[in-house]
């Protein structure tokens, strides 16, 4: 079988259409928003650009066609993501978090739930539908699969059978999009909750949809240094009641988390590549025009030429790993947990260094805000930390897959399928493999 990296005619058109949108529509909006001191105001300032992206189909392109989405492949999505992030990674995050929130309903929800929430997202008359991915907590998201019930996810969902409801109490910290454009909630907040207080994370977690306008919620916007054009909040739940039919993936919330962050890993990787490419484009142009007080542009200097060559090579390598991971997910129904995690770790860590090298070429002028290099730096340092942090979650996911007896080093090169199972979870949460300690038994009261 031949290996082909050639984009289809449709994919090339997608690339340049999104690039035009990013440069003509997104750039001026993002420049204004990024300079705003108020974090929520910066997010709201992106709403007109989001509405245009919705009209283009970008905000729902990842959803199935049968529910009104674009039916885009994962390869399509990484192509579009790179183009957006070469201009502004925060805006791309708004769109991609719609996927993190809504795709779990596609994968794990019932047909009735898909008809209700996915078609609402694709058929939004105001073209501003937001999905919130509500997972992260202060006490530990990375150890969501810990065997002790007091570790990991602690947003509790008590089943009130008499009223056919679940009652949610607790807090989430860092969910994106969840506050909505007006801090009254996203249209669809998909929350990972603990539905069993007596068991560990591989059996006690579930997913539940909290609709906009549900009473008992409070949102506080987080003021952060990078990706300022997207919204992150602290979200507090005080006796938040949701109907039973809003629950899905009961007892399998751990698999929801792992699959969602597997889908988003090549997107986050492509985002890192996009940011690095934006910095590289600026540094290359600078090197070709800036003389540094000498007689010729600095690209004529060996040190600059060598460093630019390394920068370009690392961006190319990162991009093609994104394409490979996305292609593998397309081929195997999203079951590429280890490869996607490797992709995210590799690109997020490497592209951060690429941006720093671009700043070295520009020199001290890279610190001047008017040139925009400092924004690339602020965005690049986010990638190893967000979207399932490299140190706490993504490496563990690859570790669990690689520890499986059936895993082989040829797996991804041979493009063989390899399903992710609960037996691959729990690595690292106890300071070793899950076999090092049996999950403790707990007495119910």
């Amino acid at each position: 079988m031949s290996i082909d990296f050639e984009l289809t005619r449709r994919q090339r058109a997608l690339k340049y259409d999104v690039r035009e949108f990013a440069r003509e529509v997104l750039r001026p909006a993002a420049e204004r928003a990024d300079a705003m001191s108020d974090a929520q105001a910066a997010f709201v300032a992106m709403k007109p650009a989001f509405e245009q992206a919705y009209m283009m189909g970008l905000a729902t392109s990842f959803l199935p066609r049968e529910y009104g989405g674009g039916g885009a492949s994962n390869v399509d999505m990484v192509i579009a993501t790179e183009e957006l992030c070469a201009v502004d990674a925060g805006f791309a995050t708004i769109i991609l978090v719609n996927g993190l929130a809504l795709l779990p309903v596609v994968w794990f929800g019932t047909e009735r739930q898909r008809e209700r929430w996915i078609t609402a997202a694709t058929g939004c008359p105001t073209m501003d539908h937001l999905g919130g991915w509500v997972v992260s907590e202060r006490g530990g998201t990375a150890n969501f699969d810990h065997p002790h019930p007091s570790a990991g996810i602690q947003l509790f969902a008590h089943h009130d059978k008499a009223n056919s409801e679940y009652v949610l109490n607790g807090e989430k910290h860092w969910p994106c999009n969840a506050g909505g454009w007006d801090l009254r909630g996203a249209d669809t907040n998909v929350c990972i909750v603990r539905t069993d207080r007596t068991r560990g994370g591989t059996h006690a977690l579930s997913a539940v949809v909290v609709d906009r306008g549900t009473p008992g919620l409070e949102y506080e916007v987080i003021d952060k240094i990078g990706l300022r054009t997207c919204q992150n909040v602290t979200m507090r739940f005080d006796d938040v009641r949701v109907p039973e039919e809003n629950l899905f993936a009961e007892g399998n919330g751990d698999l929801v988390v792992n699959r969602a962050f597997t889908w988003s890993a090549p997107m986050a990787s492509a985002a890192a590549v996009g940011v690095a490419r934006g910095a590289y484009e600026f540094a290359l142009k600078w090197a070709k025009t800036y003389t540094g007080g000498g007689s010729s542009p600095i690209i004529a200097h060996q040190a600059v030429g060598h460093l630019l060559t390394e920068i370009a090579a690392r961006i190319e390598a990162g991009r093609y790993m994104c394409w490979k991971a996305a292609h593998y997910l397309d081929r195997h129904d999203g079951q590429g947990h280890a490869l996607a995690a490797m992709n995210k770790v590799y690109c997020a860590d490497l592209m951060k260094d690429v941006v720093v090298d671009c700043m070295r070429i520009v020199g001290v002028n890279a610190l001047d805000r008017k040139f925009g290099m400092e924004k690339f730096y602020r965005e690049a340092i986010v990638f190893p930390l967000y979207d399932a942090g490299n140190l706490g979650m993504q490496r563990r996911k690859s570790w669990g897959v690689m520890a499986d007896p059936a895993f082989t080093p040829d797996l991804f090169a041979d493009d063989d399928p390899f399903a992710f199972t609960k037996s691959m979870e729990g690595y690292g949460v106890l300071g070793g493999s899950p076999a090092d300690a049996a999950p403790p038994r707990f007495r119910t009261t």
Side-chain angles (χ1 to χ4, degrees):
M1 183 184 73
S2 63
I3 297 174
D4 188 356
F5 286 91
E6 183 180 2
L7 300 181
T8 66
R9 184 177 301 176
R10 180 186 56 78
Q11 287 170 331
R12 283 180 62 87
L14 171 67
K15 171 182 174 178
Y16 289 105
D17 284 348
V18 177
R19 181 174 295 184
E20 181 181 14
F21 167 82
R23 292 179 174 178
E24 300 300 321
V25 178
L26 178 56
R27 188 189 302 278
E31 287 177 350
R32 289 192 301 270
D34 184 71
M36 294 178 177
S37 59
D38 183 88
Q40 177 65 10
F43 174 60
V44 173
M46 302 308 297
K47 190 169 183 283
F50 181 88
E51 291 167 353
Q52 291 196 48
Y54 189 98
M55 284 189 286
M56 290 175 61
L58 286 176
T60 57
S61 57
F62 39 77
L63 296 172
R65 285 194 177 92
E66 57 264 39
Y67 301 102
S73 69
N74 287 298
V75 174
D76 296 339
M77 289 302 301
V78 298
I79 292 168
T81 297
E82 179 184 333
E83 295 305 320
L84 292 173
C85 293
V87 172
D88 185 71
F91 180 80
T93 303
I94 302 173
I95 290 176
L96 293 173
V97 169
N98 263 8
L100 275 169
L102 296 169
L103 283 171
V105 181
V106 174
W107 300 325
F108 295 92
T110 65
E111 180 60 25
R112 182 176 179 180
Q113 289 170 331
R114 289 191 286 268
E115 287 286 351
R116 176 178 173 185
W117 285 301
I118 306 304
T119 57
T122 58
C124 178
T126 54
M127 295 176 290
D128 61 356
H129 187 283
L130 285 179
W133 175 233
V134 186
V135 180
S136 299
E137 297 184 9
R138 296 180 194 270
T141 310
N143 61 345
F144 67 94
D145 49 352
H146 196 285
H148 199 290
S150 66
I153 301 297
Q154 297 295 303
L155 174 59
F156 295 108
H158 169 70
H159 192 189
D160 181 357
K161 294 182 180 180
N163 291 300
S164 301
E165 293 176 326
Y166 282 90
V167 185
L168 279 55
N169 281 285
E171 181 185 87
K172 292 290 187 179
H173 190 54
W174 285 106
C176 188
N177 290 358
W181 300 111
D182 57 2
L183 288 181
R184 297 180 180 177
D187 298 277
T188 306
N189 270 321
V190 174
C191 308
I192 301 300
V193 298
R194 183 173 289 274
T195 44
D196 189 337
R197 292 173 180 260
T198 68
R199 308 184 76 185
T202 58
H203 298 90
L205 307 182
S206 306
V208 65
V209 177
V210 178
D211 292 306
R212 175 176 167 81
T214 302
L217 288 166
E218 178 185 338
Y219 306 92
E220 180 182 348
V221 178
I222 298 171
D223 189 7
K224 55 193 190 295
I225 62 172
L227 275 63
R228 290 189 58 80
T229 51
C230 70
Q231 178 204 70
N232 295 88
V233 298
T234 300
M235 188 174 176
R236 299 181 181 89
F237 297 74
D238 184 9
D239 286 341
V240 174
R241 291 182 169 270
V242 296
E244 285 177 339
E245 58 263 30
N246 287 28
L247 192 84
F248 64 96
E250 185 173 5
N252 288 317
D254 54 318
L255 297 180
V256 176
V257 172
N258 270 315
R259 180 158 182 183
F261 282 132
T262 293
W263 172 81
S264 66
M267 313 306 163
S269 303
V273 170
V275 169
R277 194 195 87 198
Y280 165 57
E281 289 173 347
F282 183 91
L284 180 62
K285 183 177 180 180
W286 181 274
K288 288 181 175 181
T289 56
Y290 180 68
T291 64
S295 58
S296 61
I298 62 173
I299 197 171
H301 292 272
Q302 185 181 58
V304 174
H306 284 181
L307 188 53
L308 280 169
T309 300
E310 292 176 13
I311 287 168
R314 284 179 283 174
I315 290 173
E316 293 292 330
R319 175 182 296 122
Y320 302 141
M321 191 177 187
C322 294
W323 290 6
K324 167 63 179 179
H327 179 258
Y328 188 88
L329 293 179
D330 284 332
R331 290 264 298 158
H332 301 296
D333 193 29
Q335 294 295 307
H337 292 58
L339 181 59
M342 293 174 192
N343 179 207
K344 200 267 179 174
V345 170
Y346 178 80
C347 284
D349 288 346
L350 182 63
M351 295 304 123
K352 170 177 58 66
D353 295 338
V354 168
V355 170
V356 172
D357 281 342
C358 290
M359 296 178 75
R360 292 168 62 197
I361 290 170
V362 176
V364 71
N365 289 303
L367 305 179
D368 189 335
R369 288 181 180 271
K370 73 180 180 182
F371 293 118
M373 288 295 286
E374 60 86 28
K375 181 172 183 284
F376 290 127
Y377 178 75
R378 286 189 285 112
E379 296 192 339
I381 61 176
V382 172
F383 293 113
L385 309 176
Y386 94 142
D387 195 67
N390 289 3
L391 189 61
M393 291 182 72
Q394 293 289 9
R395 280 182 170 89
R396 284 206 304 111
K397 189 164 54 176
S398 292
W399 175 15
V401 174
M402 294 169 68
D404 190 271
F407 178 85
T408 71
D410 293 320
L411 181 69
F412 303 122
D414 291 345
D415 195 37
D416 290 331
F418 201 75
F420 186 85
T421 66
K422 286 178 182 281
S423 66
M424 300 170 188
E425 297 180 325
Y427 282 78
V429 296
L430 296 173
S433 75
D436 291 338
R441 295 180 180 274
F442 300 96
R443 183 177 60 197
T444 60
T445 57

